[in-house]
């Protein structure tokens, strides 16, 4: 893909401020790094991996100078197309991976490249955790969690990023840096950006003056809602600095760059219990949810997950399923998975008894009873988390996986479930599953459309139009409850919110980004067909990896991710190579992909199988890489190394020590020049780890 003149100039200037090793324009890198977990694909012209705030500031300046669009990316686990770009994709490097516990665990300061579960590991000794708990927390990074205002099964609307934000350090498009936790920074910003703050205050006054709209905003944010900008910030705060930092939450990289965030932590209760309850019909099941929602705080109800009859059928035969669920199900049956938490065993015992007494009035037919055994509880929640990949694992070859999330007012939940199910049937998506965080009225639906012809795309469009009319029109619910607006719902933001709120959102975008350079098309768009453009193909590549849905959960476990490619990126590249082969396209792209694929995908795959431990559908990408590699060219050397692993580890430590003595960046440049002549020479990374001490025997 040839670069535009503006991108060529941007690239020339970028090479002056960042190491070339962290700037990618080659076909393999732009394809591999440009892929996220959504069902959209845009191929960036330039990929840059930034390691510090000064590099971000320089890139923002270049974007303004050359009028080139930027999209920021953390882990790429976003589901709605908010982390892809056909311009410049800015990836967060290890320099942004840091964390510091404050106030004996009451707060935690985090870099945007830290994985959510790693932040929780920092807080665990204090009996605390961060509030957001998305299902992707073992892979998703703090920057994405905040930028999407992600929530999760237990987070609700009280403990999300918006409500647990303590301070934020951010960069705006004009190069300004604001640290809301630093009084001097705030004072300087009030002077330098008085017009921006006045603009936010003016919008707040306008919203507050419209009493009907203000009340509607408050009501809609009592539900989970990530559709559009968080204009509740204009009502919740009087200081425009607080408005600014809170409107950045959930802004999906369209208003600025979050370079550091401090959260108030929440208690991680040590005592937990879980139960599964089966109901004959959806209506009493949802009435039980309403009762649990009203009594959640009093009875320690932490999470309530609704699982519909189709989802129960998808779970049939899964390991860990209680006996009473291992049978056929009728079309109206439904299940609740409930978790209770407490600070002591006695308190937990009391809560479980209270919950069981409350639910008895709604007639659950069968119940597992509350279990306090961690292994049993984990098996229940593994079943619930397995519903998303359950569709992906059995989808027809070539189809993709769409997961969307909506929210209904809880009193209307039963009707909402029935109406959504009817839409699946009306549009022929009979494989669709429906489940979700019922305590918040939040429902996920997963289905597997095919986008391989215009008729199928039109079917998907008709379905989305009907979903929008139902959820936003009839019920005044949320079209996006926790996954972020993205490209899939951006064309429907105006329909959900109406002209007055929509115009406030447009003016927020204009205050921060008047030229539309930050993640264009996401959240605010005039393109009512954006959700139908740049749909991602998932062509057949190999039976070992064809079930891959490109979620990226594997990346955090991959030993070679960051050195070359991750398992997801290896699969993406192999799919493209196989597609080009089938199409008979032996052009420049295929040649370029093949030239780099051997080293970056095959030779550097550790083949440990660690990716399979994180993959929702159990794919071991190493199996494919080993087969593509073929027999070892030096089997005797491999066997010798296996028999003398201690000596091999000592040699690696010595090599790392020597590399740091000579300078990794210098060795990287030398190996790069040699590799251009001799492809068999491995590329030495510019950033090598320090040699570790000896492992205990």
């Amino acid at each position: 893909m040839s670069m535009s003149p503006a991108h060529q100039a941007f690239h020339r200037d970028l090479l002056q401020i960042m190491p070339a090793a962290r700037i990618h324009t080659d076909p393999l890198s732009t394809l591999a790094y440009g892929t996220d977990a959504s069902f959209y694909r845009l191929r960036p012209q330039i990929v840059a991996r930034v390691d510090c705030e000064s590099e971000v500031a320089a890139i923002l300046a270049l974007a303004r100078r050359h009028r080139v669009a930027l999209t920021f990316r953390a882990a790429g686990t976003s589901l709605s197309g908010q982390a892809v770009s056909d311009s410049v994709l800015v990836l967060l490097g290890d320099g942004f991976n840091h964390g510091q516990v404050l106030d004996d665990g009451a707060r935690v300061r985090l870099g945007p490249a830290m994985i959510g579960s790693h932040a929780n590991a920092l807080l665990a000794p204090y009996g605390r955790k961060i509030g957001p708990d998305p299902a992707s927390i073992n892979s998703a990074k703090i920057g994405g969690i905040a930028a999407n205002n992600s929530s999760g099964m237990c987070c609700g609307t009280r403990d999300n990023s918006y409500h647990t934000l303590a301070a934020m350090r951010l960069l705006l498009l004009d190069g300004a840096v604001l640290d809301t936790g630093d009084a001097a920074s705030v004072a300087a910003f009030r002077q330098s950006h008085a017009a921006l703050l006045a603009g936010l205050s003016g919008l707040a006054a306008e919203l507050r003056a419209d009493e009907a709209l203000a009340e509607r905003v408050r009501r809609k944010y009592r539900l989970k809602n990530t559709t559009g900008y968080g204009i509740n910030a204009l009502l919740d705060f009087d200081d425009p600095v607080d408005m600014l930092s809170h409107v950045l939450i959930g802004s999906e990289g369209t208003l600025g760059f979050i370079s550091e965030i401090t959260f108030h932590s929440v208690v991680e209760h040590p005592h937990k219990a879980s139960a599964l309850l089966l109901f004959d019909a959806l209506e009493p099941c949802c009435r039980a949810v309403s009762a649990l929602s009203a009594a959640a705080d009093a009875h320690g109800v932490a999470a309530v997950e609704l699982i519909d009859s189709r989802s129960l059928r998808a779970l049939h035969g899964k390991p860990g399923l209680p006996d009473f669920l291992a049978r056929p199900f009728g079309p109206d049956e439904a299940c609740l998975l409930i978790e209770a938490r407490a600070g002591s065993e006695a308190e937990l015992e009391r809560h479980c008894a209270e919950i069981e007494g409350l639910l008895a009035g709604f007639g659950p037919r069968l119940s597992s009873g509350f279990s306090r055994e961690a292994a049993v509880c984990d098996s229940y929640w593994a079943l619930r988390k397995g519903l998303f990949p359950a569709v992906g694992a059995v989808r027809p070859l070539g189809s993709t996986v769409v997961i969307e999330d909506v929210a209904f007012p809880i009193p209307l939940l039963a009707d909402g479930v029935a109406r959504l199910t009817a839409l699946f049937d009306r549009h022929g998506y009979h494989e669709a599953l429906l489940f979700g965080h019922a305590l918040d009225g939040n429902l996920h639906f997963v289905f597997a459309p095919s986008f391989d012809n215009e008729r199928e795309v039109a079917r998907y469009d008709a379905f989305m139009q009907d979903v929008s009319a139902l959820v936003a029109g009839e019920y005044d619910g949320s079209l996006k409850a926790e996954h972020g607006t993205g490209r899939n719902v951006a064309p429907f933001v105006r329909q959900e919110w109406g002209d007055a709120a929509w115009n406030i959102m447009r003016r927020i975008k204009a205050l921060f980004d008047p030229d539309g350079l930050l993640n264009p098309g996401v959240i605010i768009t005039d393109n009512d067909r954006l959700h139908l453009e740049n749909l991602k193909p998932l062509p057949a590549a190999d039976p070992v990896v064809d079930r891959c849905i490109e979620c990226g959960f594997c990346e955090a476990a991959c030993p070679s991710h960051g050195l070359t490619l991750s398992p997801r990126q290896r699969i993406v590249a192999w799919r493209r190579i196989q597609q080009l082969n089938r199409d008979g396209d032996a052009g420049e792209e295929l040649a370029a992909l093949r030239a780099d694929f051997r080293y970056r995908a095959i030779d550097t795959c550790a083949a440990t199988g660690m990716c399979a431990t994180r993959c929702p559908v159990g794919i071991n990408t190493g199996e494919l890489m080993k087969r593509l590699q073929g027999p070892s060219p030096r089997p005797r050397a491999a066997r010798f190394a296996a028999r003398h692993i201690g000596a091999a580890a000592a040699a690696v430590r010595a090599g790392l020590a020597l590399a740091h003595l000579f300078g990794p960046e210098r060795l990287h440049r030398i190996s790069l020049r040699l590799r251009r002549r001799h492809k068999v020479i491995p590329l030495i990374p510019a950033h090598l780890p320090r040699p570790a001490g000896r492992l205990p025997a």
Side-chain angles (χ1 to χ4, degrees), residues 259-283:
S259 68
E260 190 174 76
I261 192 163
T262 302
F263 285 128
H264 295 291
S265 65
V266 301
V267 174
E268 172 67 307
H269 291 293
H271 300 279
K272 305 175 186 178
S274 295
L276 283 163
L277 294 92
L278 182 68
F279 292 79
D280 283 330
L282 188 62
E283 195 271 336

Side-chain angles (χ1 to χ4, degrees), residues 633-675:
R634 296 178 179 85
R636 291 183 179 178
R639 286 194 292 270
F640 178 85
R643 288 195 300 267
H644 301 85
I645 191 67
V652 171
R653 282 194 295 270
L656 287 171
L658 285 172
H660 279 279
L661 180 65
F662 287 106
E665 291 196 6
R666 182 189 305 169
L667 290 175
H668 171 78
R669 291 193 295 270
I670 293 170
S671 68
L672 185 62
R673 287 196 293 270
L674 292 173
R675 180 166 171 76

Side-chain angles (χ1 to χ4, degrees), residues 396-579:
L397 196 60
S399 64
T400 189
V401 179
V402 174
I403 178 169
E404 278 302 339
D405 68 315
V406 299
F408 292 100
I410 291 177
L412 304 174
L413 186 61
D415 194 43
V417 171
R419 297 285 298 280
L420 273 177
T421 302
L423 286 184
F424 300 148
D425 292 336
R426 182 189 307 169
H427 293 280
Y429 294 124
H430 301 294
E431 78 286 354
L433 308 183
L434 197 149
F435 52 90
H437 317 319
L439 209 58
D440 303 300
N442 177 196
L443 298 174
H444 300 307
F445 52 90
V446 185
F447 60 110
S450 177
F451 296 134
D452 55 2
N453 60 62
E454 285 300 317
R455 182 173 58 82
E456 288 298 317
V457 173
R459 176 165 71 125
Y460 176 71
D461 182 35
F463 173 74
M464 284 300 296
Q465 298 292 342
D466 282 353
V467 168
S468 180
L470 175 69
V471 177
E474 293 188 45
Y475 291 94
D476 199 18
S478 308
L479 282 171
K480 297 293 284 194
E482 60 179 7
H483 290 170
T485 305
R487 296 176 177 276
N488 199 36
V489 169
F492 302 96
V493 174
R494 187 173 192 171
Q495 181 175 349
E496 173 169 335
W497 280 102
D499 288 346
W502 161 256
N503 284 326
I504 289 174
M505 293 179 186
R506 287 182 68 92
R507 288 153 65 193
I508 288 174
K509 174 67 170 174
L511 280 173
F512 287 84
D513 181 18
D515 295 322
L517 299 178
L518 296 179
N519 215 4
V522 172
I523 295 185
I524 299 296
T525 183
D526 291 320
N527 181 358
D528 61 4
R529 292 186 58 81
L530 186 74
H531 62 301
L532 307 176
E533 297 175 358
N534 302 297
L535 297 167
K536 180 197 289 184
L538 290 178
D542 188 279
V544 172
V545 298
D546 281 339
R547 292 175 299 147
C548 175
I549 52 180
E550 300 181 5
C551 64
F553 286 9
C554 56
E555 292 186 338
C558 176
S560 57
H561 181 219
L563 169 67
T564 51
L565 300 180
S566 71
R568 167 169 64 175
Q569 293 164 348
R570 290 178 167 93
I571 293 170
V572 167
W574 187 242
R575 277 176 166 160
R576 181 61 177 163
I577 288 171
Q578 294 299 89
Q579 181 183 27

Side-chain angles (χ1 to χ4, degrees), residues 42-65:
L42 291 172
R43 198 153 174 178
Q45 298 186 50
I46 301 168
V47 177
R49 184 179 295 276
V50 293
D51 266 340
C52 60
E53 202 174 80
S54 61
E55 290 178 347
V56 176
I59 284 178
L60 289 169
L62 291 183
R64 296 194 310 274
R65 181 187 310 164

Side-chain angles (χ1 to χ4, degrees), residues 18 54 90 114 153 176 194 220 239 306 444 480 502 585 678 685:
M18 280 180 58
S54 61
V90 183
M114 174 166 277
M153 296 183 185
K220 282 179 69 67
D239 187 337
L306 173 70
H444 300 307
K480 297 293 284 194
W502 161 256
D585 186 344
H678 309 286

